[in-house]
Amino acid sequence: MAQDFDVAVVGLGAAGAASLHALARAGVSAIGLDRFVPPHDHGASHGETRMLRVAYGEGAGYSPLAARAKQLWREIEARTGARLYEETGLVYAGPHSSPFLAETWRAGQLHGLGLSKLAPGARSGLGFEVPGDWRCILEPGAGFLYAERAIETLLGEAQALGAEIVTDRRVLAVRPTEDGVEIEADAGGVRARRAVVCAGGWTAGLLPELAPLLSVERRTIHWFADPERARTPAAGFRPFYIEDEQGLAVYGLPNWGGTGVKIGEHIEGVAQTSPEEVDRAVHAEDEARLRAMAARWFKDLGPVVKSQTCLYPMSRDQDFILDRLPSDRRITVLAGLSGHGFKFAPALGEAAAAMTLGEAPPLDLSMFALSRFAP
Ligand SMILES: Cc1cc2nc3c(=O)[nH]c(=O)nc-3n(C[C@H](O)[C@H](O)[C@H](O)COP(=O)(O)OP(=O)(O)OC[C@H]3O[C@@H](n4cnc5c(N)ncnc54)[C@H](O)[C@@H]3O)c2cc1C
């Protein structure tokens, strides 16, 4: 049977937009489908900004991938003229016992990222206070991405290179056939030789064999007023990641363009939910919990000017899943980005495209293989 496309990409959040982009750049005929109109606020890829760090506290093994992604973001900026990345530097703070900070420092040393330790005297002007005996690290080459603009740009360039994009189209099943993969959808299905599934928190519904490895958590983010513009990059305020003695972290991004200071929490043990059942309203207790955590470092947080809910599609070990399905090698999955995947999108998309086309990815990403979960 004739196939409509070489590759179909299911889901066009950060992961799928980047995969489609890489496939289009590789010159294959590709189609991307999404149940909404990306960029949208139903999944994990919205909220204006995303941190980009290369000294990687989750594991120094991520640093080459982050560096590759940063290079690719820069190349996309140069080709399209879109401004996607602000290199503001980023400050990490936490007690000396923090494994995350220790790994951040180690990754910085291992990969020559020019990190510096900020002594208590050098910390005034950061815009927050941390105990004098804490570890405080500056990563000068880190910064933040414009999330929705980045997705628009990836999709725009993919389309300009010939990729087809179908929105408001819900994929119901991804089914291997004798000579390809059938993408069944609520209107007009598609046949392709291969498929890449990047459905974020919806992935387990499409690939039930992966359900034991995936879960979904709910997070909220809040923007705090900054009327005096004291927390802008121009005022020396940088993105930050502060972890306390219990390992609870708040992270934030500066007031950029007058939207306020964005602050979120990175915590463990959050109840599992699903994209269908998740409570998408933001409640007073969400803001109160975050405000209480942040108040230790920020004495004068203004009122909240905006809040959003967001999904964290998690893998069982919080490392990404990027592999071809053992049950059918024509289907690649890129999922479980576990609350830290946006920065990597173009490098993950590049690798997903290579794998799908039967080529070796530019970097060894075997740490994301499904075989790591084998009993
Ligand atoms: C609050 C918050 C803060 C974060 N901060 C950072 C950060 O600072 N730095 C960083 O690197 N990362 C960060 N992350 C993580 C990062 O944003 C995510 O890892 C990444 O956006 C996940 O992208 P995704 O494409 O896997 O998922 P999604 O964005 O959820 O995309 C999945 C897509 O699949 C589509 N889809 C699903 N099912 C179907 C179907 N059946 N048919 C068709 N389409 C379908 C959905 O509509 C959606 O567009 C943060 C995440 C959150 C929530």
Side-chain angles (χ1 to χ4, degrees), residues 53-359:
R53 318 173 259 121
V54 181
Y56 222 62
E58 289 87 340
Y62 278 88
S63 294
L65 187 66
R68 174 70 184 150
K70 183 175 157 183
Q71 178 194 343
L72 290 172
W73 286 121
R74 287 295 204 203
E75 288 176 13
I76 297 165
E77 282 184 316
R79 278 197 310 271
T80 63
R83 184 150 185 174
L84 305 180
Y85 179 58
E86 302 290 350
E87 191 163 294
T88 50
L90 191 150
V91 177
Y92 307 86
H96 280 271
S97 57
S98 159
F100 184 91
L101 264 83
E103 186 64 6
T104 297
W105 183 255
R106 191 178 80 87
Q109 300 311 107
L110 200 61
H111 299 291
L113 300 174
L115 268 51
S116 57
K117 291 181 180 168
L118 298 179
R123 298 177 192 177
S124 60
L126 286 180
F128 55 86
E129 300 286 335
V130 293
D133 59 350
W134 272 25
R135 194 192 279 236
C136 210
I137 300 171
L138 171 66
E139 181 180 353
F144 66 90
L145 294 153
Y146 296 105
E148 285 90 349
R149 192 187 301 165
I151 290 180
E152 273 165 12
T153 306
L154 287 167
L155 293 178
E157 204 182 17
Q159 214 163 14
L161 289 166
E164 201 162 309
I165 293 175
V166 179
T167 58
D168 277 329
R169 184 77 53 93
R170 183 171 160 229
V171 172
L172 303 173
V174 179
R175 199 172 294 120
T177 62
E178 208 171 291
D179 53 0
V181 181
E182 183 189 352
I183 311 294
E184 188 193 333
D186 56 0
V190 167
R191 290 169 305 174
R193 287 191 179 78
R194 289 156 195 262
V196 188
V197 178
C198 306
W202 292 264
T203 303
L206 288 172
L207 302 175
E209 66 191 271
L210 300 186
L213 309 179
L214 297 168
S215 61
V216 178
E217 295 178 5
R218 168 184 177 273
R219 290 291 195 287
T220 60
I221 25 172
H222 308 270
W223 283 257
F224 293 87
D226 180 35
E228 306 299 323
R229 302 187 68 78
R231 296 197 171 109
T232 61
F237 191 87
R238 296 187 172 94
F240 64 88
Y241 185 97
I242 310 174
E243 189 175 285
D244 73 9
E245 295 83 350
Q246 281 71 49
L248 305 177
V250 290
Y251 64 87
L253 292 129
N255 174 13
W256 191 271
T259 51
V261 185
K262 175 178 158 183
I263 305 185
E265 60 194 342
H266 204 74
I267 50 177
E268 302 285 329
V270 176
Q272 294 186 13
T273 180
S274 68
E276 292 76 26
E277 291 164 359
V278 66
D279 180 1
R280 293 188 181 268
V282 180
H283 302 285
E285 56 263 34
D286 293 317
E287 181 192 329
R289 188 183 60 252
L290 197 272
R291 190 179 274 280
M293 281 174 76
R296 184 171 168 198
W297 325 115
F298 298 92
K299 302 297 173 210
D300 57 346
L301 271 187
V304 165
V305 288
K306 181 170 130 177
S307 298
Q308 282 183 336
T309 52
C310 189
L311 303 179
Y312 263 23
M314 307 295 287
S315 77
R316 204 161 73 191
D317 60 6
Q318 301 186 19
D319 287 321
F320 308 152
I321 293 176
L322 171 57
D323 206 345
R324 293 160 78 185
L325 285 191
S327 60
D328 197 301
R329 311 278 298 159
R330 294 168 300 182
I331 301 174
T332 303
V333 59
L334 173 52
L337 300 194
S338 305
H340 63 121
F342 199 105
K343 63 184 79 59
F344 299 102
L348 288 172
E350 177 181 63
M355 270 184 195
T356 307
L357 299 174
E359 297 159 8

Side-chain angles (χ1 to χ4, degrees), residues 36-58:
F36 302 112
V37 183
H40 60 75
D41 62 3
H42 302 276
S45 298
H46 57 285
E48 295 177 8
T49 46
R50 288 291 184 276
M51 282 183 186
L52 189 158
R53 318 173 259 121
V54 181
Y56 222 62
E58 289 87 340

